[in-house]
């Protein structure tokens, strides 16, 4: 999983205290401290500043397609981007609760049976185990690369290479990001790397590795 836009541009360090003020307009979606309360909006807390800067620049110049983010990024100058990135990078990402497996009949407002709850618990355990294996080893049969190679053993990423930190990220956001890469809706990675990886992943693999990463600390 390489959620990255590698760049040769030297990015200046921003001012954390100034960034806190400038990030006020971001709090509605990403949380005051970068820990979003909505699982489809990414957590920014603890993310590498360089990666945040690269993504904001990509939103601004259109190389990353995001109708919601583009107009916000357009209003940011270079210093503001660096300051906001520095602020969120300085914050600590929160831990997630275990994901909840939704069944097809969950919308029917029926009482949850012990048997159904136990089945969901076992399904979740199996998914996380499968996700851990995919993260560490990839899938040799389908040539899916191991996530650990770029994002590290605990999902900490690689700051010098601008490979983002993933641990503690919302599972729903990770699922959306991987699905977008798979479908080609998101392509701002070197040599379209993430599309080449994600297109080989099954929907079940995407869900499994996303659940696993969301629980990493």
């Amino acid at each position: 999983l390489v959620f990255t836009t590698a760049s040769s541009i030297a990015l200046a360090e921003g001012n954390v205290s100034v960034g806190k003020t400038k990030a006020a307009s971001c709090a509605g979606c990403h949380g005051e401290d970068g820990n979003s309360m909505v699982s489809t909006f990414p957590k920014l807390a603890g993310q590498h500043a360089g990666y945040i800067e690269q993504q904001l620049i990509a939103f601004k110049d259109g190389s990353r397609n995001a109708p919601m983010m583009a107009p916000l990024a357009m209003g940011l100058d270079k210093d503001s981007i660096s300051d906001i990135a520095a602020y969120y990078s300085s914050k600590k990402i929160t831990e997630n609760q275990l994901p909840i497996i939704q069944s097809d009949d969950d919308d029917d407002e029926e009482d949850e049976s012990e048997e159904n709850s136990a089945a969901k618990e076992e399904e979740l355990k199996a998914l996380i185990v499968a996700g851990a294996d995919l993260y560490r080893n990839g899938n040799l049969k389908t040539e899916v690369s191991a996530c650990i190679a770029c994002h590290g053993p605990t999902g900490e990423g690689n700051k010098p290479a601008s490979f983002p930190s993933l641990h503690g990220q919302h599972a729903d956001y990770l699922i959306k990001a991987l699905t977008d890469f798979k479908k080609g809706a998101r392509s701002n990675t070197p040599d379209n790397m993430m599309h080449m990886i994600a297109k080989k992943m099954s929907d079940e693999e995407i869900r499994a590795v996303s659940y696993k990463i969301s629980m990493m600390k």
Side-chain angles (χ1 to χ4, degrees), residues 87-149:
Y87 169 67
Y88 282 129
S89 180
S90 73
K91 308 308 288 184
K92 182 177 175 61
I93 194 168
T94 55
E95 296 180 10
N96 292 319
Q97 300 293 321
L98 278 170
I100 297 174
I101 299 288
Q102 300 291 338
S103 61
D104 295 336
D105 57 357
D106 276 352
D107 295 332
D108 296 337
E109 296 186 5
E110 295 180 358
D111 290 336
E112 186 87 356
S113 68
E114 284 189 24
E115 183 179 351
N116 193 29
S117 295
K120 286 185 179 182
E121 185 176 339
E122 288 304 310
E123 181 184 358
L124 178 59
K125 287 180 181 178
L127 279 170
I128 291 177
V129 168
D133 181 63
L134 188 66
Y135 188 91
R136 289 193 306 269
N137 305 311
N139 186 331
L140 292 177
K141 289 183 179 179
T142 56
E143 298 182 343
V144 174
S145 302
C147 313
I148 195 173

Side-chain angles (χ1 to χ4, degrees), residues 13-21 23 32-35 43-50 52 82-94 159:
E13 288 189 21
N15 185 302
V16 173
S17 59
V18 173
K20 180 179 180 179
T21 300
E32 185 177 348
D33 63 349
N35 287 292
K43 296 181 185 180
L44 301 180
Q47 186 57 265
H48 305 309
I52 296 175
S82 294
D83 293 338
I84 290 170
Y87 169 67
Y88 282 129
S89 180
S90 73
K91 308 308 288 184
K92 182 177 175 61
I93 194 168
T94 55
K159 185 177 180 179

Side-chain angles (χ1 to χ4, degrees), residues 162-178:
S162 290
F163 296 154
S165 171
L166 300 179
H167 65 84
Q169 186 58 263
H170 291 305
D172 287 342
Y173 176 73
L174 292 168
I175 291 169
K176 180 184 183 303
L178 281 169

